[in-house]
Amino acid sequence: MKIGIQTKIAGLITVPLLAFIVMAGISIKSDWEQLKIAQKTLEGTELFASVSGAVHALQKEREDLLLQLLDRRTAKEMTTQREVTDRMLSELKVKMAQHEFGSKGKTVLAGVSDLSLLRKSVDQDGISGEAFDRYNHLVQSLIGFEVQVAHRITLPGVSSSLISMNILEQSRESADQLRAMLLPVLLANAPLSTLTFSRIERLHSD
């Protein structure tokens, strides 16, 4: 059974956060300051989880586009995944609106806003190398944004744990990109038709 990103993050921060609250109780004078740090930690980890959820949804949407090359995804399935992605991105935008992230945050939001245009291009012209690269860029910008979110957390142990998760996320994305490029060939399980070959050729040559 797969464990959701929210559950993984909750497991990572529970021990250091509880230890922090216990230590804060020892010093009544600094209770308010400690409470604010704990609150910011919770908000930061929720935002990190939201970013990661959006990353996973976009990765799945990108993979579905490639599976469509072999007619392994129906229009209904594609629409369903896009709805999942939209929901995750909507939640992310709400959480980001509560913080100020400067140019990095604006770049992420701009990429999210351009997703509808990217989808329209794919629907009209089919998946291409350029479209694939645009999906990659959006995913990578979100993964990079995770680092900025993690660095804002000052509670010892939590920030480093989230950064470790981000390193794994980067490795997973590199593997996903390689697998996605090979997916149409690996799943064909038969000689490629002229149409399928031309689709794959277009994907790799654009």
Side-chain angles (χ1 to χ4, degrees), residues 1-202:
M1 181 177 66
K2 291 186 177 180
I3 301 175
I5 185 64
Q6 288 85 357
T7 303
K8 291 180 181 178
I9 292 175
L12 282 172
I13 73 166
T14 296
V15 173
L17 189 57
L18 284 175
F20 180 79
I21 292 173
V22 170
M23 291 301 295
I26 298 174
S27 176
I28 298 176
K29 182 179 179 180
S30 61
D31 275 355
W32 179 243
E33 288 76 12
Q34 307 290 3
L35 179 61
K36 287 193 293 185
I37 293 175
Q39 180 62 35
K40 288 183 178 180
T41 297
L42 289 174
E43 291 175 354
T45 52
E46 286 177 358
L47 178 57
F48 186 97
S50 185
V51 178
S52 190
V55 166
H56 294 170
L58 281 165
Q59 288 172 329
K60 181 64 167 59
E61 182 173 326
R62 179 185 60 193
E63 182 177 293
D64 282 355
L65 286 172
L66 294 167
L67 289 172
Q68 196 177 36
L69 290 172
L70 297 173
D71 299 321
R72 296 292 185 94
R73 286 293 182 272
T74 64
K76 183 178 180 180
E77 289 173 324
M78 298 287 291
T79 298
T80 298
Q81 180 55 44
R82 286 181 176 183
E83 289 172 350
V84 171
T85 302
D86 287 341
R87 185 172 66 253
M88 298 301 297
L89 291 175
S90 293
E91 293 175 2
L92 174 60
K93 286 190 284 187
V94 169
K95 286 184 172 60
M96 286 183 66
Q98 302 170 9
H99 306 271
E100 176 56 47
F101 288 99
S103 59
K104 187 69 174 181
K106 292 177 181 178
T107 299
V108 170
L109 291 174
V112 170
S113 298
D114 288 342
L115 181 59
S116 60
L117 295 177
L118 173 55
R119 287 170 173 171
K120 183 177 180 180
S121 173
V122 169
D123 291 342
Q124 291 178 345
D125 307 321
I127 183 68
S128 64
E130 180 185 0
F132 188 77
D133 286 343
R134 288 170 66 185
Y135 267 100
N136 291 347
H137 184 269
L138 179 54
V139 169
Q140 289 166 352
S141 69
L142 285 167
I143 291 176
F145 184 59
E146 285 180 348
V147 177
Q148 186 175 356
V149 174
H151 280 306
R152 284 196 168 200
I153 297 174
T154 58
L155 187 61
V158 175
S159 179
S160 58
S161 293
L162 294 181
I163 290 173
S164 296
M165 287 189 67
N166 176 263
I167 292 172
L168 293 175
E169 191 89 80
Q170 294 179 47
S171 300
R172 180 173 180 265
E173 169 60 9
S174 296
D176 276 0
Q177 285 191 28
L178 178 60
R179 186 169 66 92
M181 295 298 285
L182 297 174
L183 198 59
V185 177
L186 294 175
L187 289 183
N189 197 31
L192 296 176
S193 67
T194 302
L195 177 59
T196 301
F197 181 81
S198 65
R199 288 173 175 173
I200 297 174
E201 183 180 38
R202 180 168 180 259

